[in-house]
Amino acid sequence: MTMKKLDSKVNIIPIIAKSDAISKSELTKFKIKITSELVSNGVQIYQFPTDDESVAEINGTMNAHLPFAVVGSTEELKIGNKMMRARQYPWGTVQVENEAHCDFVKLREMLLRVNMEDLREQTHSRHYELYRRCKLEEMGFKDTDPDSKPFSLQETYEAKRNEFLGELQKKEEEMRQMFVQRVKEKEAELKEAEKELHEKFDRLKKLHQDEKKKLEDKKKSLDDEVNAFKQRKSAAELLQSQGSQAGGSQTLKRDKEKKNFF
């Protein structure tokens, strides 16, 4: 299932790892079984190209070797007079770069020396173009019209572009109207607040005037009371003065009468 998902995205070259774990006869049967399962499940593996005469023969031979049986090793052992990557077992040595032991050299030759450019070309012209086509279809770009007739991608692009510009203009108009509406609402709020402030100012001004008038009336009333008090005081002082003078003249008269009497 994983290989089926990947075969439309990358070049698949099947290999058998740790191939030194089985015998030559078992390996041959295993290769046949794997190839049969890949075909029956519809998994598209990379086939070395045979249309180029210079590499047709070797690629045809290598296609028959698929999947490649490989052995890996991180150790280097001295075999003869050379240091070679190999795996040491009690019964012998498996050399990684010995074509009689595994297909590692064949795989390396096919990938790096013979078919590198074809692998790149396949990746670009097949897998990437398929990916790009799927992405364009997801975005609404198709090379056929609703009647399944050929349709220019440029025309599709222009149609999508015009549709996008129309939606953009529509959104811009909606945003402009929304902005204008919000400005109007804000202006109405500010005017209402200004009106409330003027009304409050008028109320405070009237209240101040009323308080001022009350104070002036009270002051006038107090001034009137003070003037009346002064007038009463002056009258009282005048009466007291007149009374004192009248009393003094009567005393003098009695004293005179007494003197005349004696």
Side-chain angles (χ1 to χ4, degrees):
M1 290 179 66
T2 302
M3 294 174 73
K4 183 67 177 175
K5 291 288 185 180
L6 290 174
D7 64 0
S8 61
K9 297 177 176 62
V10 294
N11 298 309
I12 295 179
I13 301 176
I15 64 171
I16 300 173
K18 299 181 180 180
S19 61
D20 56 337
I22 55 178
S23 64
K24 290 291 185 181
S25 59
E26 290 174 339
L27 183 60
T28 302
K29 294 179 181 179
F30 194 33
K31 284 187 176 185
I32 295 172
K33 182 178 180 181
I34 291 175
T35 303
S36 175
E37 288 183 356
L38 292 174
V39 172
S40 63
N41 287 280
V43 178
Q44 299 294 324
I45 64 173
Y46 175 75
Q47 293 288 330
F48 301 117
T50 57
D51 51 352
D52 188 351
E53 294 181 358
S54 61
V55 293
E57 183 178 356
I58 185 172
N59 281 345
T61 302
M62 291 300 104
N63 283 330
H65 278 81
L66 290 173
F68 290 117
V70 297
V71 177
S73 176
T74 57
E75 299 177 357
E76 289 187 351
L77 302 177
K78 188 173 182 179
I79 299 175
N81 295 326
K82 294 182 179 181
M83 297 297 294
M84 304 180 65
R85 292 192 179 276
R87 297 178 70 88
Q88 184 69 50
Y89 292 101
W91 44 264
T93 303
V94 177
Q95 300 174 23
V96 174
E97 297 185 11
N98 189 331
E99 294 189 35
H101 294 176
C102 71
D103 297 331
F104 177 80
V105 175
K106 296 184 179 68
L107 176 63
R108 184 179 62 190
E109 291 290 322
M110 290 296 99
L111 292 181
L112 302 180
R113 295 184 181 178
V114 181
N115 298 297
M116 174 65 75
E117 289 302 321
D118 185 71
L119 284 165
R120 290 177 176 175
E121 181 65 24
Q122 285 289 326
T123 299
H124 178 75
S125 62
R126 179 186 173 193
H127 300 301
Y128 172 71
E129 288 299 324
L130 180 60
Y131 166 80
R132 189 172 69 89
R133 180 190 180 95
C134 293
K135 286 298 180 181
L136 288 173
E137 289 180 352
E138 290 178 3
M139 296 169 61
F141 297 100
K142 297 182 180 180
D143 55 1
T144 58
D145 59 13
D147 298 328
S148 298
K149 295 180 181 180
F151 193 71
S152 173
L153 184 62
Q154 182 65 27
E155 294 177 3
T156 305
Y157 169 76
E158 291 295 335
K160 294 294 291 183
R161 182 175 180 273
N162 293 333
E163 180 182 354
F164 173 76
L165 291 177
E167 292 179 356
L168 182 62
Q169 291 178 355
K170 183 178 178 181
K171 289 182 178 179
E172 287 179 352
E173 182 64 21
E174 290 177 354
M175 292 179 67
R176 188 185 68 80
Q177 292 180 358
M178 184 181 298
F179 176 75
V180 171
Q181 182 65 26
R182 289 185 177 179
V183 169
K184 290 181 178 180
E185 292 176 356
K186 196 66 177 178
E187 287 180 349
E189 291 178 1
L190 291 175
K191 288 181 179 179
E192 185 67 23
E194 184 179 4
K195 182 180 178 182
E196 291 178 357
L197 287 174
H198 281 299
E199 291 177 352
K200 185 177 181 181
F201 174 76
D202 292 338
R203 287 196 303 268
L204 292 174
K205 185 177 180 181
K206 188 175 183 302
L207 181 62
H208 174 71
Q209 291 176 350
D210 293 341
E211 292 291 334
K212 184 177 180 181
K213 185 178 180 181
K214 288 180 181 179
L215 290 174
E216 289 177 350
D217 293 342
K218 191 172 182 179
K219 180 181 179 183
K220 184 178 180 182
S221 177
L222 290 173
D223 289 341
D224 293 340
E225 290 180 2
V226 169
N227 292 330
F229 175 77
K230 287 180 178 180
Q231 290 177 359
R232 289 195 299 270
K233 182 180 179 182
S234 298
E237 289 177 349
L238 181 60
L239 290 174
Q240 186 177 4
S241 176
Q242 291 176 354
S244 297
Q245 290 178 358
S249 61
Q250 289 179 1
T251 303
L252 290 173
K253 186 178 180 181
R254 284 194 300 268
D255 291 339
K256 188 176 181 182
E257 289 177 353
K258 287 180 178 181
K259 186 177 180 181
N260 293 331
F261 176 76
F262 290 108

